Amino acid sequence: MIYLNSFLICGAICALGQIILENTKLTPAHLNTLFVLLGVILSFFGVYEIILKWGGAGASIPITNFGHLLFKGAYASLKKDGFIGLLGGLFSKGSLGVTVSIISSFLVSLFAKPRH
Amino acid sequence: MKLEEYKKIVKSISKKEDKLKNVLISFLIGGLLGLLMELLAVFLNKKLNIPLDTAYMWVTVFLVVSSSILTGLGFFDKVVSFAKCGLIVPTTGFAHAMTSAAIDHESEGLIKGVGSNMFKLAGSIIIYGVVGAFFFALLKGVM
């Protein structure tokens, strides 16, 4: 059943993005920024944790999950160590995607032929 | 009915169908990606005994690395122009934005080219994610 949930939630988020792109003048960069903020807000209200439990990978792949992880890391470290914890721990959960993207982009750009 | 009016109506209807088609493609491809990645996560969990949380992290790593490599091979742009949001909204879009910016400016050197431009497209995602997470976490902490 988790497979169907995963299909539905990931498909729904992508379809929502496409609906926004089709009906506004926003670019994909705007859209992804908007979705990260959406993830932060959903996480703020505790909704995203429920979506993750229900949708599995379907909810953990979209960019909204990056916002969720940033908020989760920030709030958990704020609770633990106060304001300095918030500053020090904001990336504690969300750093995975960024780190892997930087490393793999760097390596690929070393080997790939420049495009014109 | 005049020919021009007829053309106008045809155009407006076909535009609507295009929109619907794009949304449907995004839904199917995004959904399929979610389904496949869930299969991968369950496979890692059951067969290799990796805890489910870690399995989801490996799934993200797999997606980022594979879309980065596909972008490097020049293959990903064509797929994205077909799949639209089905591949833009998942992490694949983030990795694609970073890798393609890095490759586009590769000829300007490692520092001013790759280094300065890698976050050209993806930077706003991180910046507004951090700004949002900072203020909302602060707000929830005060509440």
Side-chain angles (χ1 to χ4, degrees), chain B residues 11-22:
Chain B
K11 207 179 169 189
S12 75
I13 291 174
S14 64
K15 214 172 182 183
K16 232 175 213 168
E17 278 184 348
D18 270 2
K19 279 185 183 180
L20 197 68
K21 203 181 108 198
N22 288 342

Side-chain angles (χ1 to χ4, degrees), chain A residues 6 22-23 57 61 63 109 115, chain B residues 22 34 38 77 89 91 106:
Chain A
S6 192
E22 295 286 346
N23 293 305
I61 297 172
I63 199 78
S109 77
R115 288 180 296 185
Chain B
N22 288 342
E38 183 63 42
D77 285 322
V89 172
T91 319
E106 196 199 346

Side-chain angles (χ1 to χ4, degrees), chain B residues 39-111:
Chain B
L39 275 170
L40 180 65
V42 169
F43 171 79
L44 290 175
N45 184 23
K46 292 269 160 67
K47 302 284 172 190
L48 304 179
N49 287 321
I50 296 171
L52 205 57
D53 293 7
T54 320
Y56 285 133
M57 289 164 90
W58 277 114
V59 164
T60 306
V61 172
F62 169 74
L63 270 184
V64 167
V65 170
S66 53
S67 58
S68 222
I69 290 172
L70 286 179
T71 306
L73 295 174
F75 181 65
F76 208 78
D77 285 322
K78 286 170 207 152
V79 186
V80 166
S81 67
F82 171 75
K84 311 245 164 32
C85 272
L87 288 175
I88 292 171
V89 172
T91 319
T92 47
F94 182 72
H96 170 64
M98 283 184 60
T99 310
S100 59
I103 294 174
D104 281 343
H105 295 274
E106 196 199 346
S107 55
E108 293 159 41
L110 277 182
I111 306 296

Side-chain angles (χ1 to χ4, degrees), chain A residues 4 18 21 31 35 37 45-46 50 54 56 64-65 67 69 71 76 78 87 90 92-94 96-97 102 107 115:
Chain A
L4 182 67
Q18 190 64 32
L21 276 194
L31 183 75
F35 269 27
L37 283 174
F45 289 111
I50 301 166
W54 186 79
T64 41
N65 189 46
L69 289 175
F71 178 83
L78 178 73
L87 296 175
L90 198 143
S92 56
K93 294 205 162 58
L96 176 91
I102 292 175
L107 290 178
R115 288 180 296 185

Side-chain angles (χ1 to χ4, degrees), chain A residues 2-4 6-8 10-15 17-19 21-23 28-29 31-33 35-37 40-41 43-46 55-58 60-64 66-67 70-71 74-75 78-79 83 86-87 90-91 96-98 100-102 104-106 108-115, chain B residues 18-19 22-23 26-28 30-35 37-39 41-42 56-57 59-61 63-65 68-69 71-72 74 77 84-86 88-91 93-95 98-100 102-104 106-107 110 114 118-119 121 124-126 128-130 132-134 136-141 143:
Chain A
I2 185 89
Y3 300 113
L4 182 67
S6 192
F7 180 88
L8 288 177
C10 197
I13 294 172
C14 294
Q18 190 64 32
I19 289 170
L21 276 194
E22 295 286 346
N23 293 305
L31 183 75
N32 276 348
T33 309
F35 269 27
V36 165
L37 283 174
V40 170
I41 291 167
S43 187
F44 174 78
F45 289 111
S60 81
I61 297 172
I63 199 78
T64 41
F66 181 59
L70 285 177
F71 178 83
Y75 186 61
L78 178 73
K79 279 268 134 166
F83 185 70
L86 168 64
L87 296 175
L90 198 143
F91 274 109
L96 176 91
V98 179
V100 178
S101 301
I102 292 175
S104 67
S105 297
F106 175 72
V108 166
S109 77
L110 285 186
F111 291 109
K113 275 179 271 170
R115 288 180 296 185
Chain B
D18 270 2
K19 279 185 183 180
N22 288 342
V23 171
S26 298
F27 177 73
L28 287 177
L32 211 61
L33 198 68
L35 177 70
M37 291 307 117
E38 183 63 42
L39 275 170
V42 169
Y56 285 133
M57 289 164 90
V59 164
T60 306
V61 172
L63 270 184
V64 167
V65 170
S68 222
I69 290 172
T71 306
D77 285 322
K84 311 245 164 32
C85 272
I88 292 171
V89 172
T91 319
F94 182 72
M98 283 184 60
T99 310
S100 59
I103 294 174
D104 281 343
E106 196 199 346
S107 55
L110 277 182
V114 175
M118 192 183 270
F119 282 109
L121 297 165
S124 68
I125 298 171
I126 297 179
Y128 288 105
V130 169
F134 177 80
F136 274 102
L138 212 55
L139 183 66
K140 198 166 185 177
M143 267 168 25

